Amino acid sequence: MEPTLRLEMLEEDNANERRVDLDLLPEVREAAHVREFACKLRAEKKYNSRVVPRKLKTGDLVLRRTLRDVSSNKLTPNWDGPFRVREEVG
């Protein structure tokens, strides 16, 4: 059985469109990279606008967040401490 004219045209069109898509692939990747970078910048700006920088001095009392493990449950404390700052690092 011979392929119909419609099938022949469809195969030719599909092959041409596929070549065009493959030629445009680097440009599409670059555009996606630019969008990703812009999104990360917006997220960073939003985070930095809400965070309050704190300078800790020697002798300040601080709390430390506890690590969750298998034995923890909802009644396990979220914080350890208070601890006293001994020295500034960094």
Side-chain angles (χ1 to χ4, degrees), residues 5 8 11 13-14 18-20 36 43 48 63 66-67 72 85:
L5 180 61
E8 288 178 7
E11 288 175 2
D13 288 343
N14 190 25
R18 189 172 176 142
R19 274 190 225 101
V20 169
E36 176 190 14
N48 288 337
L63 296 175
T66 59
L67 297 175
S72 67
V85 176

Side-chain angles (χ1 to χ4, degrees), residues 19-59:
R19 274 190 225 101
V20 169
D21 288 343
L22 288 175
D23 290 340
L24 295 176
L25 189 60
E27 294 173 12
V28 172
R29 283 185 179 156
E30 185 176 345
H33 181 68
V34 168
R35 282 193 308 272
E36 176 190 14
F37 187 73
C39 182
K40 285 183 180 180
L41 281 178
R42 283 194 308 270
E44 179 184 4
K45 185 177 179 182
K46 185 173 182 177
Y47 174 80
N48 288 337
S49 71
R50 293 176 185 264
V51 71
V52 178
R54 292 184 175 88
K55 294 285 185 182
L56 299 175
K57 298 177 215 123
T58 305

Side-chain angles (χ1 to χ4, degrees), residues 68-83:
R68 297 289 179 156
D69 58 353
V70 178
S71 63
S72 67
N73 59 32
K74 67 181 184 179
L75 298 177
T76 305
N78 293 329
W79 303 95
D80 280 340
F83 297 101

